[in-house]
Amino acid sequence: FFRASRFRFNVISAAEVYFLRAEAALEGLSGENAQQMYAAGIQQAMNMYNVDQVKINTFLAGPEGTLSG
């Protein structure tokens, strides 16, 4: 579903929105916590591909799950 072009418009996923919010927070454009937005983006992206929650938690606990902007 996510790999085939079926529509004539762009869709922004929840994961992408969270990553954009993390970037905005890093730039001081919002009062949100950049790390929380980044982690939520990873969570949403992995949920979209049905990754097991245990694997998501392991990933988020590792260095890749930490925003170092």
Side-chain angles (χ1 to χ4, degrees):
F1 177 78
F2 297 105
R3 296 183 183 154
S5 177
R6 296 184 184 184
F7 303 104
R8 294 180 182 236
F9 57 89
N10 293 324
V11 175
I12 297 176
S13 69
E16 290 176 277
V17 171
Y18 278 112
F19 291 135
L20 290 170
R21 290 170 65 182
E23 287 184 43
L26 281 175
E27 295 297 322
L29 299 173
S30 76
E32 295 180 298
N33 181 296
Q35 176 60 41
Q36 289 175 351
M37 295 297 103
Y38 178 70
I42 292 171
Q43 176 77 44
Q44 289 294 319
M46 290 186 167
N47 285 342
M48 190 167 54
Y49 291 102
N50 297 316
V51 175
D52 182 71
Q53 187 62 48
V54 173
K55 291 181 179 179
I56 296 172
N57 293 344
T58 300
F59 184 87
L60 288 172
E64 299 86 359
T66 302
L67 183 62
S68 61

